Amino acid sequence: MGRDNDQKKDKKKRKRSRENDKNIEKVVANEEKKVPTQQKPKQENEKSIEKVVANEEKVPIEQKQKQQGNCNQSKKKKNQEVYPFGNYRNYYGYRISNDTDEDPRLKVLKKEWFQGKDCLDIGCNSGIMTIHIAKKFGCRSILGVDIDSSRIEDAHWHLRKFVRMQNSAKSSEKNSSSEGKDGAHGSVEQSTSLSNGETKADNPETKDLSQIVSFQKENFVLTRNLDENRYDTILCLSVTKWVHLNWGDDGLITLFSKIWRLLQPGGIFVMEPQPWKSYENNRRVSETTAMNYRKIVLRPDSFQEILLDKIGFRTVEDLTSSLSGASKGFDRQILAFQK
């Protein structure tokens, strides 16, 4: 009899325990609805954030970045990588299919925009596109910048790999040509190539890629390290969305204005904006992007008008039609603006 009473007591304890667990779960689920008197309501915090955005001159953009960085860190999940700036690993592997020899966007770029020119690639990721542009079009110099130090490390690795391949090809070519040509013919050829007073070191076609291509970790929207530089051509390929989601409309205008300042007169700005649907797909990648998404007024279909009428570019050329039939991921609009 005593044992039966003990069993009944244990059952009652377990029942109460389960009920307590349920009550705790309800409290956690409704945490946002219950605002402690010691804390300001969430609505007041959102209003204060809107005031900060409205008073851009009063709050430095660097300070906003610190606040956003904290939001991004809190959004990260354990054992799961998050890319709040579009800084994906193996980005080109995901956008280029196995049956594609090169990035299709290279086919719509014009050689005269790059040959013998100083160029800048904003958001270069692992640097593959940057290196291919230098190799195919013969830039005098091209700098790739990216917000992620890991992607810049990848870019340096790819550059070393391309340089090794280049040197190996040159060595093989030199050995094969020396077997079939005499020294006199080689001397005449060399003197002809330098007849215009150009030295071998000045000719982009004779330079190693390591002398042409460089990479640097920079947050282009915030940095002042590039303010003294001037470029003939600037690329911003599939980057505008991430600037827009992380720094809002103000960050986008800062991006466009800085590109304008860094371009030489007559310089070219090549832009590949992501469509609004792409914003919708990535808006929840962090708390910052989710917040900015709700406040964005400037849509991608208005970028062309902004760059021509507000920023000051003279002309624009739509290169998109030349991408017809490109693999999925490269069917975005590509525009070339001239300063």
Side-chain angles (χ1 to χ4, degrees):
M1 197 65 184
R3 181 178 297 176
D4 292 339
N5 290 333
D6 290 339
Q7 289 178 348
K8 289 180 180 179
K9 289 180 180 180
D10 289 339
K11 288 181 179 179
K12 288 182 180 180
K13 286 182 180 180
R14 286 195 295 270
K15 184 177 180 180
R16 285 196 299 269
S17 178
R18 286 194 297 271
E19 291 175 351
N20 288 336
D21 288 342
K22 290 181 180 179
N23 290 333
I24 292 172
E25 290 175 359
K26 289 181 180 179
V27 170
V28 172
N30 295 309
E31 184 67 23
E32 294 181 357
K33 298 180 182 178
K34 297 180 180 180
V35 181
T37 56
Q38 295 87 346
Q39 296 180 0
K40 293 183 178 181
K42 184 178 180 182
Q43 292 80 1
E44 292 183 5
N45 290 336
E46 291 179 348
K47 289 182 180 179
S48 65
I49 291 173
E50 292 174 355
K51 289 180 180 179
V52 170
V53 173
N55 297 285
E56 179 69 20
E57 294 181 357
K58 297 180 180 179
V59 181
I61 197 166
E62 291 86 352
Q63 183 176 340
K64 292 197 294 181
Q65 170 61 13
K66 290 180 181 179
Q67 297 168 352
Q68 293 165 358
N70 292 334
C71 292
N72 292 337
Q73 290 297 326
S74 63
K75 186 66 178 179
K76 290 188 176 181
K77 298 179 181 180
K78 292 182 180 180
N79 300 324
Q80 181 177 348
E81 290 183 294
V82 177
Y83 302 103
F85 306 107
N87 47 319
Y88 303 108
R89 285 185 175 180
N90 302 318
Y91 172 74
Y92 293 99
Y94 126 75
R95 288 198 71 183
I96 302 178
S97 59
N98 293 330
D99 57 351
T100 303
D101 294 332
E102 67 174 12
D103 193 315
R105 294 172 295 182
L106 287 168
K107 297 176 182 178
V108 306
L109 301 178
K110 297 182 180 181
K111 190 170 186 177
E112 58 263 30
W113 296 342
F114 302 96
Q115 188 174 30
K117 303 293 179 65
D118 295 314
C119 309
L120 174 67
D121 185 10
I122 301 169
C124 65
N125 197 270
S126 61
I128 294 178
M129 183 69 167
T130 316
I131 296 169
H132 276 295
I133 288 174
K135 184 179 178 182
K136 181 173 182 176
F137 300 120
C139 305
R140 178 164 59 190
S141 71
I142 184 166
L143 170 65
V145 298
D146 197 275
I147 195 171
D148 189 341
S149 59
S150 295
R151 301 293 78 81
I152 292 298
E153 289 177 6
D154 294 342
H156 282 129
W157 184 88
H158 283 122
L159 179 58
R160 290 192 295 270
K161 178 182 177 181
F162 272 88
V163 169
R164 287 195 300 269
M165 293 169 59
Q166 185 186 52
N167 291 338
S168 178
K170 284 182 179 180
S171 178
S172 299
E173 184 180 350
K174 183 178 179 181
N175 292 335
S176 60
S177 63
S178 62
E179 294 176 359
K181 296 181 181 180
D182 57 34
H185 181 73
S187 299
V188 172
E189 196 174 61
Q190 182 179 11
S191 62
T192 302
S193 64
L194 302 178
S195 60
N196 294 325
E198 182 186 58
T199 65
K200 187 176 181 180
D202 293 331
N203 185 358
E205 296 183 1
T206 62
K207 280 186 176 182
D208 290 335
L209 281 172
S210 59
Q211 297 174 287
I212 299 172
V213 183
S214 59
F215 295 104
Q216 192 170 311
K217 179 189 177 299
E218 296 288 352
N219 182 335
F220 184 81
V221 175
L222 304 181
T223 187
R224 295 181 179 178
N225 293 336
L226 304 172
D227 287 356
E228 302 302 319
N229 300 358
R230 293 296 178 270
Y231 301 94
D232 300 296
T233 301
I234 295 179
L235 300 117
C236 189
L237 305 177
S238 291
V239 173
T240 50
K241 174 185 70 177
W242 298 109
V243 170
H244 213 173
L245 285 175
N246 280 282
W247 291 280
D249 287 338
D250 291 339
L252 181 77
I253 298 302
T254 298
L255 171 74
F256 289 161
S257 300
K258 184 173 287 190
I259 288 171
W260 166 264
R261 291 198 307 270
L262 296 184
L263 271 176
Q264 297 278 13
I268 299 295
F269 168 43
V270 182
M271 178 179 69
E272 182 191 23
Q274 296 99 318
W276 184 248
K277 183 178 180 180
S278 182
Y279 284 64
E280 295 175 350
N281 294 338
N282 295 107
R283 68 186 186 276
R284 294 191 182 94
V285 73
S286 74
E287 292 179 14
T288 299
T289 57
M291 178 185 69
N292 285 329
Y293 173 81
R294 295 192 296 269
K295 297 179 181 180
I296 286 175
V297 175
L298 307 175
R299 297 291 184 93
D301 56 9
S302 69
F303 290 178
Q304 180 172 323
E305 180 183 354
I306 292 169
L307 287 162
L308 292 174
D309 298 341
K310 306 297 183 183
I311 303 300
F313 284 93
R314 291 189 298 162
T315 62
V316 59
E317 181 180 358
D318 193 335
L319 310 173
T320 314
S321 60
S322 300
L323 279 173
S324 59
S327 60
K328 185 179 179 181
F330 287 102
D331 51 0
R332 294 173 181 167
Q333 186 180 39
I334 298 181
L335 302 170
F337 297 85
Q338 184 176 33
K339 182 174 178 179

